[in-house]
Amino acid sequence: MSADLQTITLPTGKKLEVHTHLFINNEFVPGHGPLIETINPATEEVICAVHSADESDVNAAVEAADKCFNEVWRKVAPAEKGRLVNKLADLMERDKEELAALDALDNGKAYTVARDIDITESIGCFRYFAGWADKIHGKTIDTVADRWCYTRHEALGVVGAVIPWNYPIMMAAWKFAPALATGNCVVMKTSELTPLSMLKFAALAKEAGFPAGVVNIITGYGHTTGNFLANHKLVSKMAFTGSTGTGRKIMESSSASNLKKLQLELGGKSAQVVCADADLENAAVMACGGIFNNHGQSCNAGSRILVHSSVLDKFLELFVKATDETIILGDPFAEETYQGPQISKGQFDKILNYIKIGQEEGATLYKGGKRWGEKGYFIEPTIFINCKNNMRIMQEEIFGPVVGIATFETIDEAIAMANDSSYGLAGGVYTSSVDTAIRVSNEIKAGTVWVNTYDIFDQSTPFGGYKQSGFGKELGKYALQEYTQVKVVKFQLLNTGL
Amino acid sequence: MTVNFATEVITSKGDKLSFNTGLFINNEFVEGANTIDVINPTNGEKICAVQAAEEAQVNAAVDAAEKAYREVWSKTPSRDRARLMHKLADLIDANVDEIAKIETLDNGKGIAFSKGYDIPEVSKTLRYFAGFADKLHGKVIETEGKLSYTRHEPIGVCAAIIPWNFPLMMAGWKLGPALCTGNVVVLKTSEITPLSALKLAELIKEAGFPPGVINIITGYGAIAGDKLARHPKVGKVAFTGSTAVGRMIMKASSESNLKKITLELGGKSPNIIFDDADLDQAVAWAHKGVFFNHGQCCCAGTRIFVQEGIYDKFLERFKEYTSKTKVGDPFDQDTFQGPQVSQVQFDRIMSYIKTGKEEGATCFMGGNRLGDSGYFIEPTVFTDVKGSMKIMQEEIFGPVVAVSKFKDVDDVIDKAHDTTYGLAAAVFTQNITRAVTVANRLEAGTVWVNCYNELDYNTPFGGYKQSGIGRENGEYALENYYQVKAVKINVGL
């Protein structure tokens, strides 16, 4: 049986100790599921192996969380909960470099991006929600004279969270922060592709002083570990971010088990609309980041760009220029790298296959389209033009650095094309006209619409999809209602003449 | 030119306390127009002198604040404001020992209270409001042919004039909501208790607040306070103090720029004890309700109404409980009641005690000075009172309570309401219907049920009637510190 702490070496030569067991009840304990090797996608080599959770481990984690909720966490004062969340943020700040390095190593994203975006925004997310802890208000509601009614916004209890591999720490922060601030205990299953950084986080949660059982972090395969969690009768809610296909399974599990509350953040095929009166330089730069950020591995990636036919040539020229200048591929730990490898062989193959499909469907491969380098799952930033909105590469989520460009003549046409998707996660519109900006953003059926920018996040604005991109909101005050349930208490005041 | 007014004093217990006695403007300690002596109420002796502000210094502070707002603070992201407030809270906690001793030296309150309550409440309040900084939401409102939304914008320069009864805690109650909503502040402390805020000033600079965001001055109310209340660049004044001065602030606003005002004024709060109350609990809370902070609480339960059936028993137990009150050197750990804050207050309270006797009330216990040094007064209880008596109508602000009896709920509510004030009230009963219906009927900003003087930074506090305007603490405090703008964009008219 392997020890919990293993030593790994970063490409920089620095050695790190990583946890590899399951984190349950404030202890690192062995798992009974299969050992899972986690691969460095830049080198295709094994970093180390981690323990995964079988059904007994999932039960242990859920029972620890449930016991803690009922006996301890429920009685902790809200301001104290906020203080602990802030303390956790402080510790993440202290160990920022290590957390970023683990994400860069395990996921393949550029170290500078992990440090300056992923970890920085995660810390901000915890600080934001810490401030809500002692501000969860019910209401008093007047009905008739001798009745006294008020609501309480109570915690749910045990929250199950299943997160993906594309932003290992940030996806965890988006779930943990509101869940903890509203008084819940959490059992989180990380992706078996990127388990390392959250095991470091687990150690920080213990150091911050969270009572045992509030934070539990396990990993394992979705169809086993994730499935056990989704079916567990003591879990009051599942918060899931991942593919639409898996989202459906989680919903099925809830219906078959205890009708646990659900929150699903699923896929997207978001359209960026470039109008004739757009500032094209800005649009090109923003749209480039909009699709190529995180190697295209964002649920909200602006993977369809709809350009007014009159500005297509100019926009394309500027878009390619922005891509060439910004999207530098390379070793995630090199200072100038912007785009690292795709997460895995599986994803790599899937993306290359879609590039093949795109060409077969009749779209024009304008740039890229191939593997980059000899080692690691690197794919060139890829641009298709002359796309039709009903092509598979315009309807199905590719989750890689591949964008499809189509043209439109009228704003109505652009809106119709943007909405012609089973998804509705995000959208963008580039224009200098107030009327167009408001009209298009009103009409696009998506949970986030960016105007003259893309992929910009704040902890205080909500994020979540329309249509089959999911339901429920993360971030902002809106997230609080996902993690609380409303009870109304209604007193009949007897003998009011007293 | 910055002149250093660094000062050190030694307490009776041998503690060395250091602070700076200058006016804190633009993150520097500067000279005032003159100086004011700060007296130790425990022995009547001078602690030190502090720089005091008159018109020129008030103008300098307001100018510094206005510049800081325009050039820096209005552009500071909300989460950065929050970080600074958290940093200040951390520094307060790290220095709680020294700050508490300064507070006890200056105000005379027991060290157990300064250290265990007053100072920790300041950092808790700052942390609470820091959490709101990035959560100030306007609305989007459906309107015909337009996109209409509201913004909750800061006012700009806010003035805060605070009293001497909870010197640093009152500063916290003002700074919290003012800063988190994006305003800059000129805080005028009471010239009777200026020291703890001067210590806070050092921490404000250390925390990293840009110069001019928080300015702390002291001076006489009639001079510095008045100038601040009339200043054309001050968009709002928040005042805690007597009702009489509250009127002057309102007048000053009406005569100058109609600046927004919030007023936390006096009280003569009723404490109502029904037959079925848990008597021992009622006695203990009633004691805390009036004698806490030496009776120097705007919300003190200074009129106790006891239902006929238990009146005698209540009085007997209340006398016994009150006779055990530890009055003494505030630097002793187990002191409950220290001296009153000043000679002026002392004289005023003794004068009311004399008046009470002259009006025909019975001085049931207490009524005398304690010792012959410092402003100590015995916990004092009057009985056989009439609602019209001065000691039942006017705020005494000392350890003096009037106890009377009532028949039933309608009787006591009439009696409770026989006052121009409406700050707080309390009900003691075991019956849930009685508790809720009486609480709902009472004309007071805070009604306690089976407790008294439970103040929390997240529940609103403020007066009905002549006890004031506006609320402090909790989310309700925020609306006093922002102004609402509606933006209405034509998209299809």
Side-chain angles (χ1 to χ4, degrees):
Chain A
M1 152 114 73
S2 56
D4 171 45
L5 283 170
Q6 308 271 323
T7 305
I8 61 171
T9 309
L10 296 176
T12 56
K14 186 177 172 152
K15 287 200 193 306
L16 283 180
E17 273 204 322
V18 296
H19 290 279
T20 59
H21 285 190
L22 309 176
F23 184 73
I24 297 177
N25 226 19
N26 269 11
E27 298 303 331
F28 286 95
V29 295
H32 299 91
L35 274 181
I36 300 180
E37 287 182 337
T38 183
I39 312 288
N40 176 345
T43 62
E44 304 177 39
E45 286 160 14
V46 174
I47 303 170
C48 65
V50 297
H51 286 212
S52 70
D54 73 354
E55 188 166 10
S56 71
D57 298 319
V58 171
N59 289 342
V62 172
E63 282 159 27
D66 186 62
K67 184 162 193 272
C68 172
F69 178 75
N70 287 308
E71 294 178 10
V72 180
W73 195 229
R74 205 162 50 91
K75 303 171 191 172
V76 171
E80 172 64 10
K81 288 174 178 147
R83 195 192 64 79
L84 286 168
V85 175
N86 260 322
K87 180 78 201 192
L88 183 53
D90 289 344
L91 295 175
M92 289 176 72
E93 184 92 57
R94 182 195 70 191
D95 293 353
K96 203 171 177 176
E97 279 83 21
E98 188 175 334
L99 289 167
L102 288 173
D103 259 5
L105 185 72
D106 213 359
N107 166 286
K109 62 177 71 209
Y111 169 77
T112 53
V113 170
R115 181 194 61 204
D116 299 339
I117 300 196
D118 289 57
I119 311 306
T120 300
E121 292 195 7
S122 299
I123 292 168
C125 180
F126 279 109
R127 293 204 198 287
Y128 175 81
F129 280 102
W132 275 121
D134 55 1
K135 302 172 179 66
I136 313 288
H137 301 152
K139 302 173 192 291
T140 60
I141 303 165
D142 273 346
T143 53
V144 295
D146 56 357
R147 207 169 294 154
W148 173 44
C149 303
Y150 62 88
T151 57
R152 287 169 55 82
H153 292 198
E154 301 184 342
L156 297 168
V158 178
V159 168
V162 172
I163 60 168
W165 44 259
N166 57 345
Y167 299 87
I169 287 186
M170 205 160 84
M171 292 295 98
W174 286 16
K175 308 260 182 302
F176 267 116
L180 296 176
T182 47
N184 298 283
C185 293
V186 181
V187 177
M188 173 171 284
K189 183 197 90 65
T190 56
S191 166
E192 74 284 4
L193 293 174
T194 51
L196 297 178
S197 56
M198 283 308 289
L199 289 169
K200 164 78 186 167
F201 172 92
L204 297 182
K206 182 173 180 175
E207 190 185 338
F210 282 91
V214 175
V215 172
N216 303 278
I217 298 175
I218 60 181
T219 199
Y221 296 109
H223 61 275
T224 49
T225 313
N227 196 43
F228 297 134
L229 199 51
N231 279 290
H232 205 294
K233 296 251 169 70
L234 288 180
V235 171
S236 301
K237 171 210 166 85
M238 278 296 282
F240 171 75
T241 299
S243 71
T244 299
T246 307
R248 290 181 195 289
K249 296 211 183 84
I250 299 217
M251 206 168 192
E252 260 180 67
S253 296
S254 169
S255 70
S257 59
N258 62 342
L259 290 173
K260 49 175 62 60
K261 285 135 200 40
L262 296 169
Q263 179 177 7
L264 306 176
E265 296 282 347
L266 308 175
K269 195 73 187 181
S270 306
Q272 305 190 60
V273 178
V274 181
C275 301
D277 66 350
D279 172 339
L280 290 178
E281 288 240 27
N282 176 64
V285 170
M286 291 297 148
C288 172
I291 171 59
F292 296 126
N293 283 349
N294 213 44
H295 328 172
Q297 298 170 140
S298 270
C299 41
N300 57 277
S303 48
R304 294 182 289 150
I305 305 181
L306 312 177
V307 187
H308 191 268
S309 55
S310 68
V311 295
L312 175 67
D313 291 340
K314 186 72 195 167
F315 173 78
L316 204 50
E317 187 194 319
L318 291 166
F319 185 73
V320 169
K321 178 165 175 281
T323 304
D324 288 339
E325 283 172 6
T326 332
I327 315 298
I328 314 293
L329 274 71
D331 167 12
F333 284 87
E335 191 68 27
E336 67 281 359
T337 297
Y338 191 81
Q339 179 177 323
Q342 306 309 120
I343 183 65
S344 66
K345 180 89 173 50
Q347 285 297 116
F348 176 81
D349 289 343
K350 183 167 171 246
I351 297 160
L352 287 177
N353 190 45
Y354 268 111
I355 292 172
K356 185 154 158 282
I357 289 169
Q359 291 170 280
E360 284 166 2
E361 289 185 299
T364 307
L365 178 62
Y366 189 75
K367 183 181 161 64
K370 302 185 308 299
R371 181 187 200 181
W372 181 87
E374 316 266 290
K375 197 156 84 126
Y377 311 123
F378 295 86
I379 296 178
E380 296 176 325
T382 300
I383 303 173
F384 278 100
I385 61 171
N386 296 324
C387 297
K388 300 262 183 298
N389 207 48
N390 59 2
M391 289 177 177
R392 284 185 65 189
I393 59 165
M394 293 291 271
Q395 287 291 322
E396 295 171 31
E397 192 179 36
I398 299 174
F399 227 65
V402 179
V403 68
I405 300 183
T407 55
F408 65 89
E409 301 304 321
T410 66
I411 294 288
D412 282 340
E413 203 191 324
I415 290 169
M417 281 167 72
N419 288 338
D420 176 23
S421 168
S422 60
Y423 294 111
L425 190 50
V429 53
Y430 299 91
T431 174
S432 56
S433 143
V434 172
D435 277 4
T436 304
I438 292 174
R439 190 174 150 228
V440 175
S441 54
N442 280 2
E443 296 294 316
I444 288 184
K445 296 192 175 114
T448 300
V449 183
W450 283 287
V451 179
N452 293 333
T453 187
Y454 206 88
D455 205 26
I456 300 298
F457 282 84
D458 296 284
Q459 290 83 37
S460 42
T461 56
F463 181 80
Y466 279 34
K467 296 156 55 175
Q468 293 186 45
S469 287
F471 45 81
K473 290 298 180 204
E474 307 208 77
L475 303 180
K477 187 178 184 182
Y478 293 82
L480 301 177
Q481 60 209 39
E482 307 290 339
Y483 290 93
T484 51
Q485 43 194 354
V486 180
K487 168 192 290 172
V488 66
V489 180
K490 307 180 71 156
F491 277 81
Q492 184 59 42
L493 301 172
L494 304 170
N495 304 315
T496 50
L498 282 172
Chain B
M1 203 236 319
T2 305
V3 187
N4 195 354
F5 294 96
T7 306
E8 210 178 67
V9 302
I10 319 258
T11 67
S12 60
K13 300 283 189 205
D15 300 296
K16 248 192 227 171
L17 305 175
S18 70
F19 44 85
N20 196 304
T21 57
L23 301 175
F24 185 70
I25 298 176
N26 241 1
N27 272 14
E28 300 301 337
F29 289 97
V30 299
E31 198 174 7
N34 54 14
T35 61
I36 297 179
D37 287 345
V38 183
I39 307 296
N40 180 347
T42 302
N43 55 24
E45 286 166 18
K46 176 174 161 179
I47 300 170
C48 63
V50 294
Q51 297 297 312
E54 294 195 352
E55 183 165 12
Q57 292 75 36
V58 169
N59 288 344
V62 172
D63 285 343
E66 197 269 330
K67 184 162 191 273
Y69 178 75
R70 194 175 8 99
E71 295 179 2
V72 181
W73 202 234
S74 59
K75 303 171 194 172
T76 304
S78 55
R79 70 189 81 141
D80 291 351
R81 298 202 292 266
R83 294 294 292 132
L84 286 169
M85 292 174 73
H86 272 287
K87 187 79 215 249
L88 180 58
D90 289 344
L91 288 171
I92 291 169
D93 286 345
N95 289 280
V96 63
D97 206 63
E98 189 179 8
I99 304 173
K101 285 171 178 160
I102 292 171
E103 193 80 309
T104 285
L105 181 72
D106 203 359
N107 167 283
K109 62 177 71 207
I111 189 70
F113 294 102
S114 314
K115 190 157 180 194
Y117 179 68
D118 285 60
I119 310 310
E121 279 301 298
V122 181
S123 59
K124 284 179 193 166
T125 301
L126 286 171
R127 288 204 178 89
Y128 176 79
F129 283 105
F132 264 126
D134 54 0
K135 301 174 178 63
L136 305 169
H137 303 151
K139 300 175 193 293
V140 172
I141 303 162
E142 284 302 315
T143 46
E144 188 71 37
K146 299 177 284 291
L147 173 65
S148 298
Y149 64 91
T150 59
R151 286 169 56 81
H152 292 190
E153 302 186 342
I155 293 168
V157 180
C158 292
I161 300 173
I162 60 173
W164 44 259
N165 58 344
F166 296 88
L168 204 64
M169 200 168 94
M170 291 294 100
W173 283 21
K174 305 274 183 285
L175 289 175
L179 294 171
C180 81
T181 44
N183 298 286
V184 293
V185 180
V186 177
L187 176 76
K188 186 202 92 60
T189 57
S190 165
E191 73 284 4
I192 300 173
T193 52
L195 302 181
S196 55
L198 289 168
K199 190 69 193 173
L200 183 73
E202 289 174 25
L203 302 181
I204 285 166
K205 184 168 181 175
E206 192 184 334
F209 279 90
V213 172
I214 307 171
N215 306 277
I216 300 178
I217 61 177
T218 199
Y220 293 110
I223 305 176
D226 183 69
K227 286 291 167 242
L228 209 43
R230 287 177 188 283
H231 202 295
K233 287 193 193 157
V234 171
K236 177 231 163 63
V237 61
F239 171 75
T240 299
S242 70
T243 298
V245 176
R247 291 181 194 289
M248 288 182 223
I249 303 268
M250 199 182 224
K251 187 156 182 275
S253 170
S254 72
E255 288 172 359
S256 59
N257 63 343
L258 288 174
K259 54 174 61 60
K260 289 132 200 34
I261 56 169
T262 48
L263 306 173
E264 296 284 348
L265 309 175
K268 197 75 186 178
S269 304
N271 185 352
I272 302 169
I273 302 173
F274 283 90
D275 274 347
D276 72 334
D278 176 332
L279 194 53
D280 287 330
Q281 282 287 304
V283 163
W285 284 108
H287 178 273
K288 179 185 176 186
V290 68
F291 297 121
F292 175 65
N293 214 45
H294 329 170
Q296 298 168 143
C297 261
C298 41
C299 52
T302 46
R303 296 180 292 146
I304 301 177
F305 296 100
V306 188
Q307 199 163 23
E308 285 173 334
I310 53 156
Y311 178 79
D312 292 328
K313 219 157 164 209
F314 173 84
L315 261 187
E316 187 192 314
R317 292 204 198 171
F318 190 64
K319 178 172 185 175
E320 202 202 319
Y321 193 96
T322 303
S323 66
K324 297 191 189 127
T325 309
K326 286 215 161 17
V327 186
D329 179 357
F331 276 96
D332 286 341
Q333 264 299 123
D334 52 5
T335 292
F336 177 85
Q337 182 181 324
Q340 304 312 119
V341 82
S342 67
Q343 183 73 58
V344 166
Q345 285 299 313
F346 174 88
D347 291 340
R348 200 159 155 264
I349 298 159
M350 294 307 290
S351 168
Y352 270 110
I353 292 173
K354 183 156 166 280
T355 300
K357 292 174 187 169
E358 284 165 1
E359 289 184 301
T362 303
C363 184
F364 183 72
M365 68 184 290
N368 304 307
R369 182 187 194 184
L370 257 175
D372 46 25
S373 148
Y375 316 125
F376 294 86
I377 298 178
E378 297 176 321
T380 301
V381 181
F382 278 99
T383 54
D384 301 318
V385 294
K386 287 203 197 22
S388 55
M389 288 179 179
K390 279 204 167 138
I391 60 166
M392 283 289 274
Q393 286 292 324
E394 294 175 29
E395 191 180 37
I396 299 173
F397 227 66
V400 180
V401 66
V403 186
S404 57
K405 60 173 86 156
F406 70 92
K407 255 162 102 77
D408 57 30
V409 70
D410 289 326
D411 176 30
V412 75
I413 286 183
D414 279 344
K415 291 180 153 89
H417 289 168
D418 179 20
T419 170
T420 56
Y421 293 112
L423 189 50
V427 182
F428 284 81
T429 175
Q430 309 272 45
N431 184 293
I432 184 70
T433 295
R434 180 180 284 135
V436 174
T437 48
V438 173
N440 288 359
R441 278 174 78 179
L442 284 167
E443 290 166 2
T446 297
V447 182
W448 287 291
V449 176
N450 294 334
C451 59
Y452 208 99
N453 269 343
E454 284 291 307
L455 298 170
D456 298 283
Y457 53 76
N458 56 350
T459 55
F461 180 83
Y464 277 39
K465 296 154 70 172
Q466 294 185 40
S467 286
I469 294 170
R471 292 292 176 266
E472 304 205 81
N473 294 348
E475 188 171 6
Y476 293 83
L478 300 177
E479 62 202 45
N480 299 309
Y481 287 92
Y482 63 73
Q483 35 197 1
V484 180
K485 168 192 290 172
V487 178
K488 309 176 73 157
I489 306 177
N490 179 357
V491 292
L493 285 171

